[in-house]
Amino acid sequence: MGRGTLRIYLGAAPGVGKTYAMLAEAHRRVERGTDCVVALVEHHDRPRTEVMLHGLEQIPRSEIDYRSAVFTEMDVDAVLERAPAVALVDELAHTNVPGSRNAKRWQDVEELLRAGIDVISTVNIQHLESLGDVVESITGVRQQETVPDEVVRRADQIELVDMSPQALRRRMAHGNIYQPDKLDAALSNYFRPGNLTALRELALLWTADRVDEYLQQYRGEHNIRTTWQARERIVVGLTGGPEGRTLIRRASRMAAKGSGSEILAVYIARSDGLTSASPKELAVQRTLVEDVGGTFHHVIGDDIPAALLEFARGVNATQIVLGSSRRKTWQYIYGPGVGATVARESGPDLDVHIVTHEEVAKGRGLPIARGARLGRARIIWGWLVGVVGSVLLSLLLRSLENGPGLANDVLLFLFLTVAAALLGGLRPALASAAVGVMLLNYWFTPPTHTLTVQDPENFVAIVIFFAVAVAVSSVVDLAARRTHQAARLRAESEILSFLAGSVLRGETALDALLERVRETFAMESVALLERASDVDPWTCAGFVGPAPVARPDDADVDMPVGDNMALALSGRVLPAEDRRVLGAFAAQAAVVLDRQRLVSEADRARRLAEGNRIRTALLAAVSHDLRTPLAGIKAAVSSLRSDDVAWSPEDEAELLEGIEDGADRLDHLVGNLLDMSRLQTGTVTPLIREIDLDEVVPMALGGVPEGSVDLDIPETLPMVAVDPGLLERVVANVVENAVKYSPGGEPIAVAASAHGERVELRVVDRGRGVPDEAKERIFEPFQRYGDAPRGAGVGLGLAVSRGFAEAMGGTLDAEDTPGGGLTMVLTLTAAPGREQAQDRAVLPAEATS
């Protein structure tokens, strides 16, 4: 059975109608005869949404008991047993009640998909994990329930449910989203136009990125090379010269005019000639590109305009930014230049911008050198000049009535031979020298029209001409080869310097390195393969590009790294001289892979070391702090059971009180140890609900002496979104700690106040306080500050309290009390509730569900 498909309605904000749209789609499918059921839909008492449920089959929910309350969740087993074609599952980011089949609802959905059931679900943009910090900075509300971005990105279809802020606020005013008693608070806080506009922009940009991924995949599958101007992508062509910074800043200003524009800076190193690129300047420009939000790319190309256009079309760019040429006027004899060529060959789908700068016409610093790796056209021209040019020269000289003389004839033929060497290399030059000798001997050396040389001086002149021609051709060809080697080494050194720079910068992403290999050598895909031994099959440790090869034998180019690792490239066959640079990339890829694994092992070792430290501290605590109350209990019980002493009722009551105190201390110590264990293993799952502080805080004061706390919780305080059980433990631990250090039985103060979207509970004591350098250390496990007596606890109370506070989305910090002492500040998230006199943000119920 194949995997089911996932369709997600992505909401820009709560209340835009994603659940309504999902139910409307379900009705359309049912009308077409599709077996569609409602696995779980939350209508939040919205009349229009509730009406849409009529006519759809609903799977009964499962009931789960948790902390003396009954909650309902999706019955995954019932849905699997029913096996519909399509299941509706609302609120993908929802956290299930402890005791459910899975911790998160998206994990339930994964089970349905694996069973071959198509799923239609909903999620709001603020619940995406990667946007948590952004949403909190916009709305001031930290989302407690999130879904990994990858889960949503893997969806087969994503449909954005959008609405303008004004329309959404009108929908709320009409009572279609929240009850009338919550409208004013919601409209003036969470649903402010600015908040809704920002959330809408986040949803549009995120969806645009996902659409762009689909587009790139489609273009790759259909081998589409022309530009589709669906999104502005600006390619900046860099030469390594000082004008690069001007081009980058200009491109940044162009990108700022359109939201979502991208900047891609590319430096193309030509392998057949020297360039004036400065590695230091390229490093500065790379940093500048990254600062303005762009990306830097390094590509090798023999034909710079063609390579630049190929890169631009490969990334579906819409604009190219180039600088005006730095050539002097006379240097245009080498050709029209990169800018003019790119503008001529870009076609109608690419806009080319030529930007002026201060370095225009000041020269490129180094002339373009000619390489010995010549193209077919240059070799043909070399033969034409050397052979055909010699024949034409002889005809021209024969047509003159009075020729320039044999000496000058020899020099003219020698000039053609040198020109043939410069254009076509050694072989055309040698052929030119041989043809020149024959023509000189036949036409210009007496007796003419024969190959016989009568005058010995003429014979010597012809021999010297041939020797000089061969020598000059050899020297010119050798110089060209050395020039090519120098150019090649410079190109390699530039690439290796970038590679070394990535090592120094600590770039350890294997995918980024493989992408650099693919760009540098213009390959379709690159894969790093490894195997355990010579007889084991190859496995892929990382790859980039479509359709990576599974074995080195299937690749166009493979570079072994040791005995059991290889870098496999597909796309084209590389020349032999490129393998040296490829070998450096392969070695670095192996180092990066090893580094990633070492980092993972170090993290594992760190966790093991932390576990060992906690176990050591636990043993120390058990050896003393737990044995002390046990010893007291055992002594009291032994005394009561003794027949040798007749205990009075007062003595028995005192011994029983000691037993009870010891048992309470044991219960408190063991509870903290278990709580710390839950925090260390990450199994604390708070059940967030709305509650008043005055319902929880008094219950937490049961373990302290009466009269030791002055409580001040105003009735106008907003409700908080917390787990009541965890909050009670936090307050109890903090208060007990404050009472322990309060001098002379002086009562501590517990006061609460609202500050915007947060509620603070402050526990103030007048003890000796804690220095600033120790304020964070007191929250570490098994830490007791100062001269706390043995038996006063194992130093877990504050560590457990901070862990529980952070699990509920709050914070716990220590501050100095004015006049001496320590103040513990517990900050919690305000929940939507009744209207308050104070201005505060209200979070809609759907946003926290």
Side-chain angles (χ1 to χ4, degrees):
M1 180 180 296
R3 179 182 173 88
T5 61
L6 175 61
R7 178 171 183 169
I8 292 179
Y9 285 92
L10 179 65
V16 294
K18 61 186 185 302
T19 303
Y20 190 95
M22 177 180 67
L23 294 173
E25 174 66 18
H27 280 287
R28 286 192 293 270
R29 298 198 181 198
V30 170
E31 291 174 359
R32 295 196 300 264
T34 305
D35 182 16
C36 184
V37 302
V38 176
L40 188 143
V41 167
E42 300 286 357
H43 55 73
H44 297 291
D45 296 326
R46 296 168 184 170
R48 295 179 180 272
T49 306
E50 192 171 1
V51 168
M52 291 294 293
L53 286 169
H54 298 332
L56 297 176
E57 179 185 350
Q58 301 187 46
I59 303 294
R61 303 186 185 187
S62 62
E63 295 184 350
I64 300 175
D65 293 328
Y66 181 70
R67 292 188 175 178
S68 303
V70 177
F71 301 88
T72 61
E73 295 288 357
M74 180 174 68
D75 194 336
V76 180
D77 291 326
V79 178
L80 292 174
E81 183 178 356
R82 171 64 174 76
V86 180
L88 308 184
V89 182
D90 204 6
E91 297 183 359
L92 189 64
H94 172 75
T95 300
N96 293 330
V97 175
S100 301
R101 183 189 189 97
N102 295 300
K104 304 286 290 187
R105 186 167 291 168
W106 64 265
Q107 295 171 327
D108 297 336
V109 169
E110 283 292 319
E111 285 198 41
L112 302 183
L113 294 174
R114 286 195 297 268
I117 300 174
D118 295 344
V119 176
I120 304 177
S121 188
T122 65
V123 69
N124 277 334
I125 190 67
Q126 68 263 27
H127 294 298
L128 294 181
E129 197 168 78
S130 65
L131 300 179
D133 295 338
V134 179
V135 172
E136 183 179 13
S137 66
I138 294 171
T139 65
V141 176
R142 181 68 180 182
Q143 299 299 322
Q144 302 299 323
E145 295 183 325
T146 59
V147 58
D149 288 46
E150 185 60 28
V151 174
V152 182
R153 287 184 179 274
R154 285 201 307 264
D156 300 275
Q157 297 181 57
I158 299 176
E159 183 171 333
L160 178 64
V161 183
D162 184 29
M163 180 176 290
S164 69
Q166 295 78 10
L168 180 57
R169 286 169 60 86
R170 283 197 302 269
R171 175 181 288 184
M172 292 189 63
H174 293 159
N176 295 330
I177 300 178
Y178 293 113
Q179 298 299 321
D181 59 339
K182 296 183 178 181
L183 286 182
D184 292 340
L187 289 172
S188 61
N189 293 281
Y190 190 85
F191 286 88
R192 293 193 299 268
N195 288 1
L196 296 178
T197 302
L199 291 175
R200 188 186 190 195
E201 183 179 19
L202 281 177
L204 291 171
L205 290 177
W206 193 92
T207 307
D209 287 337
R210 182 63 178 131
V211 172
D212 188 62
E213 292 176 12
Y214 281 128
L215 180 62
Q216 294 295 345
Q217 180 180 353
Y218 179 84
R219 285 167 53 84
E221 291 173 353
H222 293 78
N223 196 27
I224 298 173
R225 305 302 297 170
T226 58
T227 298
W228 289 1
Q229 298 185 4
R231 185 175 185 176
E232 290 294 336
R233 285 187 176 84
I234 304 172
V235 170
V236 183
L238 301 179
T239 65
E243 79 281 0
R245 306 184 199 183
T246 302
L247 302 184
I248 294 169
R249 294 189 179 98
R250 175 60 176 160
S252 177
R253 292 195 296 271
M254 293 169 59
K257 295 179 180 179
S259 180
S261 300
E262 293 183 25
I263 300 175
L264 301 94
V266 57
Y267 169 67
I268 300 176
R270 54 188 305 166
S271 61
D272 62 346
L274 296 173
T275 68
S276 57
S278 166
K280 181 179 179 180
E281 181 64 28
L282 281 176
V284 172
Q285 293 174 13
R286 177 185 185 130
T287 303
L288 179 59
V289 169
E290 294 172 349
D291 289 342
V292 299
T295 57
F296 186 91
H297 305 266
H298 189 281
V299 177
I300 288 182
D302 292 333
D303 188 340
I304 292 181
L308 181 59
L309 289 171
E310 180 72 15
F311 175 84
R313 293 191 173 103
V315 298
N316 199 28
T318 58
Q319 302 181 58
I320 297 178
V321 176
L322 299 173
S324 296
S325 178
R326 287 186 286 124
R327 291 180 174 186
K328 294 183 181 296
T329 304
W330 63 269
Q331 289 178 317
Y332 280 95
I333 62 175
Y334 295 119
V338 174
T341 305
V342 171
R344 184 181 67 246
E345 299 179 0
S346 61
D349 54 351
L350 271 173
D351 296 334
V352 179
H353 302 266
I354 306 296
V355 179
T356 59
H357 50 84
E358 297 179 352
E359 303 297 323
V360 174
K362 291 186 177 180
R364 297 181 60 86
L366 287 176
I368 300 176
R370 302 183 183 275
R373 197 159 128 192
L374 306 174
R376 178 179 298 179
R378 287 190 57 180
I379 294 176
I380 292 175
W381 274 107
W383 283 98
L384 290 175
V385 170
V387 178
V388 179
S390 297
V391 174
L392 294 177
L393 177 63
S394 65
L395 294 176
L396 176 63
L397 293 176
R398 286 291 298 171
S399 65
L400 298 177
E401 185 173 346
N402 295 317
L406 181 61
N408 291 327
D409 293 340
V410 170
L411 291 177
L412 290 174
F413 277 98
L414 182 60
F415 171 77
L416 289 179
T417 302
V418 173
L422 292 173
L423 288 172
L426 182 60
R427 291 182 181 181
L430 294 177
S432 175
V435 172
V437 167
M438 295 178 63
L439 292 174
L440 284 171
N441 188 8
Y442 188 81
W443 292 105
F444 305 105
T445 306
T448 59
H449 306 293
T450 67
L451 296 178
T452 303
V453 180
Q454 184 175 3
D455 190 347
E457 293 182 0
N458 293 337
F459 179 79
V460 171
I462 292 175
V463 171
I464 292 175
F465 160 74
F466 185 77
V468 170
V470 171
V472 171
S473 300
S474 301
V475 171
V476 170
D477 183 73
L478 180 61
R481 292 180 183 278
R482 293 292 183 264
T483 300
H484 168 69
Q485 292 175 1
R488 186 74 195 177
L489 291 174
R490 170 169 290 194
E492 291 181 2
S493 67
E494 290 172 353
I495 296 174
L496 294 176
S497 68
F498 278 111
L499 188 60
S502 66
V503 176
L504 295 176
R505 288 190 299 270
E507 296 177 359
T508 58
L510 181 60
D511 291 345
L513 180 62
L514 296 181
E515 181 64 28
R516 178 64 57 80
V517 175
R518 191 175 74 88
E519 289 181 353
T520 300
F521 297 102
M523 289 293 181
E524 293 180 359
S525 64
V526 180
L528 183 62
L529 307 177
E530 63 176 348
R531 59 183 178 180
S533 65
D534 294 339
V535 297
D536 290 322
W538 290 94
T539 59
C540 184
F543 72 92
V544 294
V549 298
R551 298 183 309 160
D553 296 339
D554 301 331
D556 294 320
V557 181
D558 70 284
M559 175 59 65
V561 188
D563 296 331
N564 299 312
M565 187 176 292
L567 192 65
L569 297 81
S570 60
R572 66 186 181 95
V573 178
L574 290 179
E577 55 264 31
D578 284 340
R579 294 184 65 86
R580 178 167 49 187
V581 178
L582 182 61
F585 273 112
Q588 179 61 17
V591 171
V592 168
L593 181 62
D594 289 341
R595 184 181 300 158
Q596 287 181 346
R597 291 174 175 171
L598 288 174
V599 169
S600 178
E601 291 291 337
D603 289 340
R604 232 180 347 257
R606 180 183 54 79
R607 290 194 296 269
L608 289 174
E610 180 67 16
N612 288 334
R613 187 184 71 82
I614 292 178
R615 280 192 290 272
T616 301
L618 177 61
L619 290 174
V622 171
S623 66
H624 188 281
D625 294 284
L626 296 182
R627 292 178 62 184
T628 300
L630 280 175
I633 293 173
K634 180 174 179 59
V637 171
S638 299
S639 300
L640 288 174
R641 296 186 60 188
S642 175
D643 297 331
D644 299 335
V645 180
W647 301 101
S648 65
E650 293 78 6
D651 293 335
E652 290 183 355
E654 184 176 353
L655 290 173
L656 291 173
E657 183 179 359
I659 294 174
E660 185 178 11
D661 291 342
D664 289 341
R665 289 176 57 191
L666 277 178
D667 179 68
H668 181 73
L669 293 173
V670 171
N672 278 338
L673 290 172
L674 293 177
D675 290 339
M676 197 66 231
S677 175
R678 292 169 58 201
L679 289 171
Q680 291 289 337
T681 56
T683 57
V684 176
T685 305
L687 182 61
I688 305 297
R689 65 186 183 91
E690 303 170 12
I691 195 170
D692 285 316
L693 277 180
D694 55 10
E695 296 182 29
V696 179
V697 175
M699 299 174 59
L701 304 181
V704 297
E706 187 175 353
S708 59
V709 177
D710 290 336
L711 189 61
D712 180 17
I713 300 181
E715 294 183 357
T716 59
L717 203 66
M719 302 175 75
V720 291
V722 296
D723 184 314
L726 296 184
L727 177 60
E728 182 180 343
R729 294 295 303 275
V730 172
V731 176
N733 281 343
V734 173
V735 170
E736 289 175 8
N737 188 76
V739 170
K740 183 192 309 180
Y741 289 98
S742 185
E746 183 177 348
I748 65 171
V750 178
S753 58
H755 299 275
E757 301 167 350
R758 316 291 285 179
V759 174
E760 286 187 358
L761 183 69
R762 307 178 75 88
V763 180
V764 183
D765 68 59
R766 293 294 180 179
R768 51 195 177 87
V770 175
D772 291 339
E773 62 272 12
K775 282 188 172 62
E776 285 299 315
R777 194 166 62 248
I778 61 176
F779 292 103
E780 296 178 4
F782 302 103
Q783 296 291 326
R784 292 185 296 184
Y785 176 69
D787 55 353
R790 300 295 295 180
V794 293
L796 284 177
L798 293 181
V800 169
S801 298
R802 172 172 276 190
F804 283 171
E806 292 176 349
M808 295 185 294
T811 59
L812 180 63
D813 300 295
E815 298 178 356
D816 290 328
T817 301
L822 187 69
T823 299
M824 289 290 179
V825 182
L826 174 62
T827 305
L828 304 170
T829 302
R834 56 187 180 273
E835 295 184 12
Q836 307 296 336
Q838 300 174 353
D839 180 24
R840 64 183 185 278
V842 177
L843 179 65
E846 185 180 348
T848 59
S849 61

